[in-house]
Amino acid sequence: MIDVLVVDDDFRVAEINAKYVGKVPGFRVAARAHSAAQALASVQRGTIDLILLDHYLPDQTGLELVHRMREQGHGTDVIMITAAGDVTTVQAAMRLGALHYLVKPFTFAALRTRLDSYAALRRTVDRMGGRGIAGQEQVDRIFSALRTTPAPPSPGLPSGHSEPTTDLICRVLHHADQPLSAHEVAAETGLSRSTAQRYLRHLEQAGRLRLSLRYGDTGRPEHRYAWVAP
């Protein structure tokens, strides 16, 4: 099993990411951390193979944490999972040895693709048995193990709908304690109300959400949506 440390300052996001990891064969969540200090403590215990690392942490950035780990001699592998999409941060992550960089919001399929390629990398290196010298063929095999193929779009999505946005809305509804309105979903996701309403309508028609009506003082019902377990 590959032991994973999930690092995100948002407790809810960390839990979602941990559940995603748990769905991929060969991986298990060994620990969660919500700050750089907690993450470093987990790494120092020596039980972590891979870190899924957010960049925006309360005490240090994710890249500052990686730099500190490398200074201390920790070669733990890192996949960045963050909303930081600027080229400077991406380039810095590459220079510090991040194996993948996944921009939020992302789908489970996108994360699984990265985890599968990481597992393939480990298998490739293990098959070589730690030999001191690798020829060009072996080197090419190691590097090719990390290549990923973008996941195809989900069938049935209407024109103008994206899988990451659909997945983001599904995650919000899945973890909600009660049905949500389009306005509440928009506030949770950062989308406009009209965009949220458009996606909610499609998901309800596809049977993934349940629609209910709540009547207020004006007499006009408010549409509220609840997750439907598969």
Side-chain angles (χ1 to χ4, degrees), residues 2-62:
I2 296 173
D3 287 325
V4 179
L5 170 63
V6 176
V7 183
D8 199 293
D9 67 322
D10 188 318
F11 284 71
R12 187 176 63 175
V13 172
E15 185 61 28
I16 292 172
N17 292 349
K19 287 181 179 179
Y20 277 179
V21 171
K23 293 167 64 175
V24 182
F27 291 83
R28 65 185 173 196
V29 176
R32 298 170 181 79
H34 308 292
S35 68
Q38 291 176 357
L40 185 60
S42 293
V43 171
Q44 289 171 337
R45 286 193 286 269
T47 60
I48 304 299
D49 300 309
L50 173 67
I51 304 174
L52 301 186
L53 181 60
D54 188 17
H55 182 59
Y56 298 117
L57 299 173
D59 48 351
Q60 281 187 310
T61 67

Side-chain angles (χ1 to χ4, degrees), residues 169-170 172-176 179 203-212 224-230:
I169 290 176
C170 287
V172 168
L173 269 297
H174 180 62
H175 292 278
L203 291 168
E204 188 266 328
Q205 292 172 351
R208 299 173 69 179
L209 301 179
R210 182 178 66 253
L211 172 64
S212 61
R224 300 185 69 80
Y225 298 87
W227 179 256
V228 176

Side-chain angles (χ1 to χ4, degrees), residues 61-210:
T61 67
L63 294 185
E64 287 171 341
L65 170 61
V66 177
H67 188 266
R68 189 174 175 189
M69 285 166 43
R70 301 304 184 234
E71 285 185 331
Q72 295 184 7
H74 301 296
T76 312
D77 293 322
V78 174
I79 293 177
M80 298 295 296
I81 297 183
T82 177
D86 59 285
V87 175
T88 299
T89 303
V90 174
Q91 188 177 43
M94 292 175 62
R95 288 172 175 167
L96 286 170
L99 298 178
H100 285 297
Y101 197 107
L102 198 54
V103 179
K104 298 177 181 177
F106 59 91
T107 64
F108 168 65
L111 177 59
R112 176 162 188 167
T113 299
R114 273 71 179 179
L115 293 180
D116 285 343
S117 74
Y118 175 72
L121 171 66
R122 288 175 62 99
R123 288 194 299 269
T124 300
V125 173
D126 289 344
R127 280 197 298 267
M128 294 181 183
R131 286 173 289 180
I133 300 176
Q136 187 62 53
E137 181 181 350
Q138 287 75 29
V139 171
D140 290 344
R141 197 176 304 156
I142 291 172
F143 276 86
S144 66
L146 279 176
R147 293 175 187 161
T148 60
T149 302
S154 294
L157 277 182
S159 177
H161 285 61
S162 73
E163 176 133 6
T165 302
T166 301
D167 190 65
L168 175 63
I169 290 176
C170 287
R171 275 188 281 163
V172 168
L173 269 297
H174 180 62
H175 292 278
D177 297 327
Q178 60 184 4
L180 301 179
S181 67
H183 176 76
E184 290 167 330
V185 171
E188 286 282 340
T189 59
L191 301 170
S192 69
R193 186 185 183 283
S194 60
T195 298
Q197 182 65 64
R198 181 159 49 90
Y199 277 82
L200 290 167
R201 189 179 301 114
H202 165 70
L203 291 168
E204 188 266 328
Q205 292 172 351
R208 299 173 69 179
L209 301 179
R210 182 178 66 253

